[in-house]
């Protein structure tokens, strides 16, 4: 056992997790998407993918009993963690006792004022996300234009596929466009159910999103760009022209804009690249 383990026993194991849950009389809550990491290799893989160096500032979403948090703290990060489960602050006070760079913010990540809790300066987001709200969390983090440099998150494999999907594939959708518009995305690790307690019913993956200095494509009106994207994917089986009309755009405007953008109105929205969506939304502007 390393000297540090005497002071801070490693949380990332089945035994430690079961011991902690039992000591506090807790059961993992399905409703809150609680699947605790029990694989130290995966915790290290996430910390490495986030490129944590001494003094990095990290926002963690859902620290649970502190498993990933401990890995981040050991790597030298200052961690601010937002946790919704009211039973967990008492647990974290014990499992992360003695780590001075840890701040817990009780609350819902979709409601907290992130700039207020993170203060000035850039930060990284690192999280084993609660799967029931993965997409709203990712969209909130991306759209708010926070000072995030990297987002390294554990998500369902299927969501990882959607985040990285290319035009024309069945997984390509609004999430793919939003993630790729703001970030460069890379799948870092495939994670099997046995890495968690309880084991989820799905495979998982760690995805690293490096936030771009400027979005992947320049658009005149960002709100309109995402309105066009949502309309195009809102009715995937319709042609682009019909999907846009269904999304509230005037038929004549749609026909003209598609012609000017040199996009065949019979194509389906799911075949358009980010550049084409940008061209189209600029013509609709
Ligand atoms: N980080 C821990 C780990 O890796 O073992 C726990 C990850 S678990 C998949 C997701 C965590 O997110 C749980 O602790 C859950 O209580 C918390 N959570 C669920 N919904 C939340 C929300 N809206 N805001 C903040 N935390 C939330």
């Amino acid at each position: 056992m390393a000297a540090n383990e005497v002071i801070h026993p490693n949380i990332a194991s089945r035994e430690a997790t079961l011991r902690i849950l039992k000591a506090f009389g807790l059961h993992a809550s399905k409703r809150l998407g609680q699947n605790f990491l029990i694989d130290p290799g995966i915790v290290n893989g996430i910390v490495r993918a986030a490129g944590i160096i001494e003094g990095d500032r990290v926002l963690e979403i859902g620290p649970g009993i502190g498993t990933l948090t401990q890995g981040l703290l050991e790597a030298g990060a200052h961690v601010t963690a937002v946790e919704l489960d009211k039973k967990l602050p008492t647990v974290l006070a014990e499992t992360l006792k003695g780590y001075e760079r840890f701040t817990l913010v009780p609350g819902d990540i979709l409601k907290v004022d992130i700039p207020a809790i993170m203060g000035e300066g850039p930060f990284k987001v690192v999280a084993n996300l609660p799967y029931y709200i993965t997409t709203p969390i990712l969209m909130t983090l991306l759209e708010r234009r926070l000072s995030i440099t990297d987002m390294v998150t554990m998500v369902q494999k299927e969501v990882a596929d959607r985040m990285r999907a290319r035009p024309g594939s069945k997984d390509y959708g609004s999430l793919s466009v939003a993630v790729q518009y703001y970030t460069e995305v890379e799948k870092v690790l495939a994670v099997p159910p046995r890495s968690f307690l309880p084991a989820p019913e799905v495979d998982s993956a760690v995805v690293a999103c490096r936030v771009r200095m400027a979005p992947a494509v320049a658009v005149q009106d960002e709100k309109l760009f995402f309105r066009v994207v949502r309309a195009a994917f809102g009715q995937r089986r319709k042609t682009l022209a019909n999907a846009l009309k269904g999304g509230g755009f005037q038929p004549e405007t749609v026909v003209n804009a598609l012609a000017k953008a040199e996009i065949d109105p019979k194509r389906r929205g799911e075949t358009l690249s980010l550049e084409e969506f940008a061209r189209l939304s600029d013509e609709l502007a």
Side-chain angles (χ1 to χ4, degrees):
M1 190 183 268
N4 194 50
E5 272 200 60
V6 179
I7 310 166
H8 293 119
N10 216 334
I11 306 169
S13 73
R14 178 179 298 276
E15 296 68 36
T17 303
L18 285 171
R19 185 159 28 83
I20 292 165
L21 293 177
K22 190 165 171 225
F24 288 89
L26 291 177
H27 298 279
S29 156
K30 209 170 181 173
R31 187 176 60 83
L32 290 174
Q34 291 180 349
N35 298 95
F36 302 116
L37 270 170
I38 53 170
D39 184 335
I42 301 294
V43 171
N44 288 337
I46 297 173
V47 172
R48 252 199 321 274
I52 298 296
I53 53 167
E54 186 77 23
D56 267 354
R57 288 159 10 94
V58 172
L59 169 64
E60 192 194 24
I61 298 154
I65 59 170
T67 318
L68 176 57
T69 327
Q70 184 179 41
L72 294 164
L73 291 165
E74 286 290 336
H78 291 261
V79 182
T80 301
V82 179
E83 174 57 62
L84 182 59
D85 188 341
K86 291 195 174 71
K87 293 186 190 141
L88 291 176
T90 328
V91 180
L92 288 162
E94 193 56 40
T95 57
L96 299 179
K97 190 161 66 188
Y99 286 103
E100 287 173 359
R101 300 167 167 194
F102 175 63
T103 309
L104 179 66
V105 179
D108 182 341
I109 189 62
L110 297 178
K111 296 193 183 138
V112 294
D113 182 349
I114 298 174
I117 62 167
M118 294 310 292
E120 293 278 304
F123 62 94
K124 296 175 175 175
V125 172
V126 184
N128 171 14
L129 289 175
Y131 292 170
Y132 74 105
I133 41 165
T134 305
T135 306
I137 292 177
L138 292 173
M139 294 305 287
T140 300
L141 294 173
L142 292 169
E143 285 174 349
R144 283 203 209 158
R145 290 291 180 97
L146 304 160
S147 316
I148 299 170
T149 56
D150 302 80
M151 279 181 5
V152 177
T153 53
M154 175 86 72
V155 298
Q156 256 174 268
K157 179 189 170 295
E158 176 230 320
V159 174
D161 292 343
R162 279 166 44 208
M163 291 166 79
R164 299 179 313 132
R166 309 302 304 167
S169 79
K170 69 170 183 7
D171 295 322
Y172 188 60
S174 301
L175 182 67
S176 329
V177 174
V179 168
Q180 294 168 32
Y181 176 78
Y182 291 112
T183 78
E184 277 181 68
V185 54
E186 174 199 359
K187 180 170 162 183
V188 190
L189 287 171
V191 185
R194 65 169 183 278
S195 297
F196 305 86
L197 186 93
E201 279 154 20
V202 292
D203 282 326
S204 301
V206 176
V207 177
C209 295
R210 317 291 178 198
V211 179
R212 300 174 188 275
M213 301 289 276
V217 288
V219 294
Q220 282 172 31
D221 180 343
E222 206 163 82
K223 269 208 176 115
L224 179 64
F225 171 77
F226 283 110
R227 210 184 124 207
V228 172
V229 171
R230 273 194 304 275
F233 289 111
Q235 292 155 303
R236 291 180 80 107
R237 293 165 66 183
K238 289 195 175 170
T239 62
L240 185 55
N242 284 335
L244 290 172
K245 287 176 208 161
F249 292 95
Q250 291 301 322
E252 210 182 289
T253 320
V254 168
V255 172
N256 287 338
L258 284 166
K260 280 197 189 145
E262 295 177 12
I263 297 169
D264 181 348
K266 292 202 197 70
R267 281 173 64 184
R268 285 170 202 251
E270 67 206 50
T271 66
L272 261 64
S273 64
L274 262 68
E275 289 76 15
E276 289 174 312
F277 273 122
R279 232 163 54 214
L280 177 57
S281 87
D282 280 356
E283 291 301 342
L284 284 165

